[in-house]
């Protein structure tokens, strides 16, 4: 008996044998399973799952329900017909960044702030409709074009970078080198013209940075001389070329972007870019890339309503409003008892002035472990990011014996829809605090971490740099305020069939933190990279950390009911208190 091409009652049949989180969102019938030459399943040739008739669930019945489903589809990048009123946002491929994008769309449509913590608990169009019916709406005015000035203030994020560059050194630590593959060979003069047009369009790239009467300011230069560099080299190694191409910027002499066209014989051209973090971030790079593609096709770009300098002035206005004050109260309450410094066992004494010398240790979770972690996230109503974050806290707890830890985690920081098309430094670091302790199961600890992370994502208006200044934690030159350990979840590009190719390795890795875990989810597993300060750790020590982290992930994926203190990562791991060169109990408040 078949309905809509699928066995009738297949969903109900599977529920007899499987828990709810293992039931597929929809089914696809194949006449045969594609196999490789070695007889294994050929995953590349498998079709993308698509809903058949009868798999959607309850369709929308009112205009509000139809609008909710439409916004879900836009945020997820799927067809509206795949979504029913009880469809789970995260089971359909959603994650925290897409949830933030959905919240922005809701704000534009209804002027209502969707609490992400609430959405994580009930991520369906039906629950969204219920929220919208009773939403009072918290509206704040967005940035508007301002009159021309000689100087403009810096945003809190820019101030943080500027101060670190002035007083901590690390001239290359805030360069953002990357490359863009081009199609075929591009006429250098046309490419130079397009890049110069983008610098004029996004005037933050034509800005200089100074101190005026002791205050850091930015100034837009009407003329910022730009010249495209060119190198023809058959078989040239892009990484080696990039290593010699990257050099310090003169902050008072824009533009804060340089470019090199690398021609490699019969291969496609490669555009090497180096931009300063004061003028850009990861999402800005994507904006720049998309707009460059349009200009190279002789297309036209819509005019920009605001500039980054308008955003800087708007940030000052926000401080007078209730929203900023409410977010400030949230963060200060979370750190009312002070901010504990992590005490990882170091291989070397910590330098008196922070070192940016770094190195990388790549590792990863295979497909089997990745699937198990996704299932754990679905079973607990969390996300993969939250599972990895909770396990990271457990790793740090096992290495330090500390039961109060702070981990940094970057977010886009574009908390108002008007900020989406603007190039500039928006990324914000969330100071995520958790208390891993004996006697608590990983499942319960994960719930605590997930709730706190969602609340922190909601309260982004009050930035990390502002929090560090309020807590008086900016004086230690040997480390970062609030946290020295970071977890960064990298979201892959949504363009099908186009892997992320623009990550450009350098001959010398710059480490802004003691330990940074970069996570790159992929269809066949989870790629991870530890970026660490090589003045603090041996490579072997970080490799052990990577191995222990994978062991924790494997154990909690198999049994999330394990007590935190019962998660065995190695028989020979000696827990150590304090760090080399520091007194025991050295905390900063």
């Amino acid at each position: 008996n078949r309905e809509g091409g699928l066995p009738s009652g297949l969903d109900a049949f599977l529920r007899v044998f499987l828990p709810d989180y293992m039931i597929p969102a929809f089914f696809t019938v194949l006449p045969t399973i594609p196999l490789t030459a070695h007889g294994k399943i050929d995953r590349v040739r498998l079709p993308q799952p698509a809903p058949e008739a009868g798999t959607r669930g309850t369709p929308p019945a009112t205009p509000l329900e139809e609008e909710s489903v439409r916004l879900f589809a836009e945020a997820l990048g799927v067809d509206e017909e795949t979504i029913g009123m009880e469809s789970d946002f995260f089971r359909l491929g959603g994650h925290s960044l897409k949830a933030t994008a959905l919240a922005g769309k809701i704000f534009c449509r209804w002027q209502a702030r969707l609490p992400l913590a609430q959405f994580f608990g009930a991520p369906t169009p039906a629950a969204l409709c219920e929220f919208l019916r009773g939403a009072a709406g918290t509206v704040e005015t967005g940035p508007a074009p301002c009159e021309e000035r000689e100087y403009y203030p810096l945003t809190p994020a820019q101030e943080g970078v500027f101060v670190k560059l002035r007083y901590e050194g690390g001239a290359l630590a805030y360069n953002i080198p990357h490359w863009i593959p081009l199609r075929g060979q591009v006429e250098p003069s046309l490419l130079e013209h397009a890049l110069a047009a983008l610098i004029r369009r996004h005037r933050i790239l034509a800005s200089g940075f100074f101190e005026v009467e002791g205050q850091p300011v930015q100034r837009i230069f009407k003329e910022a001389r730009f010249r495209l560099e060119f190198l023809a080299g058959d078989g040239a190694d892009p990484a080696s070329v990039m290593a010699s191409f990257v050099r310090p910027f003169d902050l008072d002499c824009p533009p804060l972007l340089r470019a090199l066209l690398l021609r490699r014989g019969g291969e496609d051209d490669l555009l090497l870019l180096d931009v300063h973090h004061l003028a850009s971030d990861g999402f800005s790079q994507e904006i720049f890339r998309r707009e460059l593609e349009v200009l190279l096709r002789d297309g036209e770009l819509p005019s920009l309503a605001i500039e980054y300098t308008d955003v800087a002035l708007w940030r000052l206005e926000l401080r007078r409003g209730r929203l900023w004050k409410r977010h400030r109260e949230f963060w200060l309450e979370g750190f009312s008892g002070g901010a504990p410094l992590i005490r990882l066992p170091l291989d070397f004494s910590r330098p008196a002035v922070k070192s940016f010398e770094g190195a990388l240790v790549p590792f990863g979770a295979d497909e089997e472990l990745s699937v198990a972690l996704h299932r754990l996230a679905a079973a607990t109503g969390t996300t993969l990011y939250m599972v990895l974050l909770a396990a990271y806290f457990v790793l740090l707890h096992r290495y330090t014996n500390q039961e109060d830890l702070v981990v940094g985690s970057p977010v886009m920081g574009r908390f108002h829809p008007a900020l989406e098309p603007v190039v500039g430094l928006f990324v914000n670091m969330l100071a995520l605090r958790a208390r891993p302790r004996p006697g608590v199961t990983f499942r319960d600890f994960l719930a605590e971490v997930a709730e706190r992370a969602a609340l922190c994502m909601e309260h982004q208006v009050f930035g990390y740099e502002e929090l560090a200044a309020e807590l008086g934690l900016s004086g230690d030159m040997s480390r970062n305020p609030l946290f020295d350990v970071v977890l960064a979840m990298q979201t892959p590009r949504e363009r099908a069939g186009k892997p992320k190719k623009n990550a450009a390795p350098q001959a010398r890795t710059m480490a802004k933190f003691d330990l940074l875990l970069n996570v790159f989810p992929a269809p066949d597993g989870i790629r991870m990279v530890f970026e660490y300060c090589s003045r603090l750790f041996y490579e072997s020590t970080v490799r052990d950390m990577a191995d222990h982290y994978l062991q924790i992930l494997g154990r909690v994926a198999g049994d999330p009911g394990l007590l935190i203190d019962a998660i065995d990562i190695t028989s020979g791991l000696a827990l150590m208190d304090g760090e080399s060169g520091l007194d025991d109990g050295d905390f900063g408040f």
Side-chain angles (χ1 to χ4, degrees), residues 59-104:
T62 68
L64 180 62
E65 291 179 353
E66 291 175 354
E67 186 77 351
S68 298
V69 166
R70 183 183 66 79
L71 290 177
F72 259 56
E74 287 182 1
L76 291 166
V78 300
D79 194 298
E80 290 181 38
E81 296 302 317
T82 68
I83 300 174
M85 293 307 296
E86 302 302 328
S87 296
D88 188 297
F89 185 83
F90 298 105
R91 288 185 64 181
L92 290 174
H95 46 65
S96 56
L97 290 181
K98 288 185 177 180
T100 303
L102 175 63

Side-chain angles (χ1 to χ4, degrees), residues 529-583:
V529 180
F530 264 133
E531 178 186 286
Y532 66 96
C533 178
S534 53
R535 287 287 302 275
L536 300 178
F537 300 104
Y538 288 121
E539 179 183 341
S540 59
T541 299
V542 180
R543 290 196 178 278
D544 286 343
M545 289 183 185
D547 183 54
H548 296 155
Y549 184 58
L550 290 177
Q551 290 182 52
I552 291 172
L553 291 175
R555 282 168 171 76
V556 300
D559 184 5
L562 277 174
L563 295 174
I564 285 177
D565 46 317
I567 301 174
D568 180 32
I569 57 175
T570 178
S571 58
L573 176 63
L575 296 176
M576 298 174 62
D577 288 319
E579 28 173 285
S580 305
L582 288 180
D583 296 331

Side-chain angles (χ1 to χ4, degrees), residues 139-214:
V139 183
E140 67 273 0
T141 304
C146 301
E147 294 181 358
E148 292 280 347
R149 299 186 177 191
E150 184 177 4
Y151 298 108
Y152 297 86
L154 272 58
T155 62
Q158 285 181 312
E159 284 189 20
V161 172
F162 185 86
V163 169
K164 289 173 184 175
L165 284 169
R166 277 287 189 263
Y167 301 107
E168 295 181 8
L172 292 176
Y174 294 96
N175 285 44
I176 309 178
H178 56 291
W179 56 52
I180 299 176
L182 303 174
R183 295 178 182 176
Q185 293 189 345
V186 179
E187 173 59 41
S189 61
L190 294 178
L191 180 58
E192 184 175 68
H193 179 77
L195 291 169
L198 288 177
I199 292 173
R200 290 192 299 271
R201 173 178 172 82
H202 299 286
R203 297 194 298 168
I204 183 63
L205 297 171
S207 293
F209 292 81
F210 313 86
E211 284 192 20
V212 175
E213 297 180 355

